[in-house]
Structures are given as C-alpha cells and as structure tokens.
Amino acid sequence: NAGVTQTPKFQVLKTGQSMTLQCAQDMNHNSMYWYRQDPGMGLRLIYYSASEGTTDKGEVPNGYNVSRLNKREFSLRLESAAPSQTSVYFCASSARTGGLTEAFFGQGTRLTVV
Amino acid sequence: EDQVTQSPEALRLQEGESSSLNCSYTVSGLRGLFWYRQDPGKGPEFLFTLYSAGEEKEKERLKATLTKKESFLHITAPKPEDSATYLCAVRSGSNDYKLSFGAGTTVTVRA
C-alpha cells in the first residue's frame, strides 16, 4: 500500500519555465490537497479538492493551477516559475474534508527555481 | 484567522530525559487538533487527533493532551529514534476544509 505518491522528488527550474507536479493516492480518499513548506513558516495550503470534480483555492494560490484528474490523481502546475516558488511541496489526501479527519502526506517534491 | 504557535523551536534532550512540547492555538471553534511527526526529507506522518479539552492520546513514548487554549506533546524517556520535527495543526469552524499548521518543534535526542 503506497499511500500518497508524488513525482518528481527533486526539480530545478529556471525562472519562467513551467512544470507539473504529480500526485496519486491509493486509499480511495475523496479529498486531496497541495501544501508548500518553507523554513519557519509551517505548511501552507495552496489548493484543495474536496471531492472529484471540484477544486478550491487555499491561502497561497497565486502562481499555481491544479487539476483533479480523477479520484486518485491531483496535479499542481506552475505556469511561469518564480524564485519565490522555491519550496518543498507536499500532496496530501483525506477520506473527506473537515472535522476530525486526518490527512496523509506524500514524501514531497523539493523545487528550486533559479 | 487561525493561529498556531509551537514552542520551543528546537529542543535538545539526553536519552531518557523527558520533556514537553507546546502548541498554543487561537481559532474560531476548534474542530480538531492534530499532531504529526516529520523526519528530514520526508512528509509529515500522522500521530494523534484531539478534540475535547481534557482528552489524552498515547502512542509508545508520546502522549498528547488538550486544553481549551493549548496542546502538549509529552515525550517520556526519549530515545534517539524520537528525533524529528513535531508539527501541530488545527481545523476550525471558519476553515474546516484545511489544516492550519504551526512551524514545528525540532527535537534532537542524544544517546
């Protein structure tokens, strides 16, 4: 049981380049999330998908787009990368949004924009 | 806006030296408080969920407790393998869809 799988694990981009971070979960969860983690700031929500077919902005959505491809997969796209997007990106999933439902995280993608 | 503050930022312990980590929160209607462990280069790993003041949860050498304003993660007789960053997160009535995280406490246990 792999849980939440993210690809790639590492990426270096030049300013202005685009890329898509992939995420897949095998736990039959309804909800999926993208977070970024920066030193001293904790994890911040970029976008989330409460269920298949829906996506919503989190607290730091600017410069990103997402696609909930199906129940298993949720991708994050950077259209024109900027140095401020250098971060570690985590995908997570949960059975549903809200309440006491815990979220399970992938191993992360370390992105550097030069 | 939900606020989660963890202290201390870093904690160095001798093996067997028990200690506590603090997570204080300001939210509009707590829906759940979560503790995660994060090892270097890895994603957060779920530990506990707490909801009601007075609630306690235990797992091996870890015990989490909850009051109306803060949560504590007690580490009893820690071992080097307990070295990690411990993250606290909350869900609130105003932001029920997301987890709001603190910056974490990095614990280092020396043999």
Side-chain angles (χ1 to χ4, degrees), chain B residues 30-82:
Chain B
L30 182 70
R31 294 290 180 92
L33 185 140
F34 303 80
W35 281 99
Y36 284 83
R37 168 190 171 126
Q38 186 175 24
D39 293 306
K42 306 285 189 182
E45 176 187 349
F46 171 72
L47 292 173
F48 304 110
T49 304
L50 301 167
Y51 174 63
S52 303
E55 190 174 0
E56 298 183 353
K57 294 268 180 83
E58 285 190 65
K59 180 179 181 179
E60 295 181 358
R61 293 175 294 282
L62 302 177
K63 183 168 79 172
T65 61
L66 182 66
T67 72
K68 288 187 177 180
K69 293 184 178 181
E70 57 193 347
S71 177
F72 293 93
L73 184 67
H74 308 277
I75 310 178
T76 301
K79 298 182 177 182
E81 53 261 43
D82 295 320

Side-chain angles (χ1 to χ4, degrees), chain A residues 37 98-101 103 107, chain B residues 31 36 38 42-43 91 96-97:
Chain A
Q37 186 175 39
L100 299 175
T101 308
Q107 294 298 291
Chain B
R31 294 290 180 92
Y36 284 83
Q38 186 175 24
K42 306 285 189 182
R91 274 208 187 93
D96 195 37
Y97 59 92

Side-chain angles (χ1 to χ4, degrees), chain A residues 33 35 37 40-43 45 48 57-59 90 94 96-107 110, chain B residues 1 31-34 36 38 41-46 49-51 87 91 96-104:
Chain A
Y33 313 82
Y35 284 86
Q37 186 175 39
M41 298 192 70
L43 286 136
L45 183 66
Y48 71 103
K57 295 178 180 179
E59 53 189 317
F90 289 99
S94 61
R96 59 178 178 84
T97 56
L100 299 175
T101 308
E102 67 268 27
F104 296 89
F105 286 80
Q107 294 298 291
R110 186 174 296 274
Chain B
E1 173 120 359
R31 294 290 180 92
L33 185 140
F34 303 80
Y36 284 83
Q38 186 175 24
K42 306 285 189 182
E45 176 187 349
F46 171 72
T49 304
L50 301 167
Y51 174 63
L87 303 173
R91 274 208 187 93
D96 195 37
Y97 59 92
K98 72 168 186 176
L99 292 170
S100 297
F101 281 85

Side-chain angles (χ1 to χ4, degrees), chain B residues 84-106:
Chain B
T85 296
Y86 292 87
L87 303 173
C88 173
V90 298
R91 274 208 187 93
S92 71
S94 59
N95 293 296
D96 195 37
Y97 59 92
K98 72 168 186 176
L99 292 170
S100 297
F101 281 85
T105 295
T106 299

Side-chain angles (χ1 to χ4, degrees), chain A residues 10-101:
Chain A
F10 300 94
Q11 184 72 49
V12 178
L13 290 179
K14 293 182 178 179
T15 298
Q17 286 186 318
S18 63
M19 79 161 295
T20 300
L21 281 63
Q22 306 286 353
C23 174
Q25 52 92 9
D26 62 3
M27 296 175 282
N28 199 34
H29 283 169
N30 289 309
S31 304
M32 298 185 74
Y33 313 82
W34 278 104
Y35 284 86
R36 61 177 287 174
Q37 186 175 39
D38 302 292
M41 298 192 70
L43 286 136
R44 292 180 292 167
L45 183 66
I46 305 171
Y47 271 92
Y48 71 103
S49 171
S51 60
E52 186 179 357
T54 69
T55 60
D56 285 286
K57 295 178 180 179
E59 53 189 317
V60 288
N62 291 344
Y64 305 95
N65 285 300
V66 291
S67 294
R68 183 74 183 265
L69 303 171
N70 47 56
K71 190 172 185 179
R72 291 186 62 249
E73 298 174 288
F74 188 39
S75 63
L76 178 71
R77 182 161 178 84
L78 287 71
E79 292 290 352
S80 179
S84 61
Q85 294 178 304
T86 293
S87 187
V88 182
Y89 292 85
F90 289 99
C91 177
S93 71
S94 61
R96 59 178 178 84
T97 56
L100 299 175
T101 308

